[in-house]
Structures are given as C-alpha cells and as structure tokens.
Amino acid sequence: MNGRNRIDVQPGQTVDIVLKADQRTGKLTRGIVKDLLTKSATHPHGIKVRLTDGQVGRVQVIHHSEK
C-alpha cells in the first residue's frame, strides 16, 4: 500500500514516511503512527501523520504486521 488513502492508515501501524526535510532526497523514516493529520480522504503525496516519536511526514509505505 502506498499511503495515499486515509482509510488505509490507522494509528498503531508501522509506516515509512518522508519528512519535509527529506522530500528532495526521498529518504524514508520508519515509525508507528500516533495521529492522522490529513483530513481529506486521499492525498496525492501521501497522508500526513505524526509518529509516536513526534516526527511529522507523509506516508509512503504501510507495513503490515504478521499475525
């Protein structure tokens, strides 16, 4: 999943985000979603989230845990 649909992103999920400072390089940061900041149902650059460590960025990859 690419993180462009708000319905696909849930608090507690592990995701890779691109931080504002890393947009040019595309460097990804992995973390756990704390809050969803984008209010619209979709966003072409990824849903903006806040991670549990406080970092804010747009979701690029959603990781599904093995159950």
Side-chain angles (χ1 to χ4, degrees):
M1 294 189 167
N2 57 21
R4 292 184 182 151
N5 297 314
R6 192 173 195 274
I7 197 164
D8 295 336
V9 182
Q10 304 292 324
Q13 282 182 318
T14 300
V15 296
D16 288 342
I17 64 169
V18 63
L19 302 172
K20 182 78 170 175
D22 295 331
Q23 283 179 346
R24 286 183 176 258
T25 64
K27 177 179 174 259
L28 298 177
T29 302
R30 186 164 293 179
I32 298 171
V33 176
K34 180 179 180 186
D35 301 309
L36 279 68
L37 304 178
T38 298
K39 299 298 181 196
S40 63
T42 63
H43 193 283
H45 301 297
I47 300 299
K48 188 179 278 188
V49 298
R50 177 179 296 115
L51 301 179
T52 54
D53 63 3
Q55 296 184 94
V56 174
R58 295 199 180 272
V59 176
Q60 302 299 303
V61 179
I62 300 170
H63 297 281
H64 295 285
S65 61
E66 299 297 322
K67 292 183 181 179

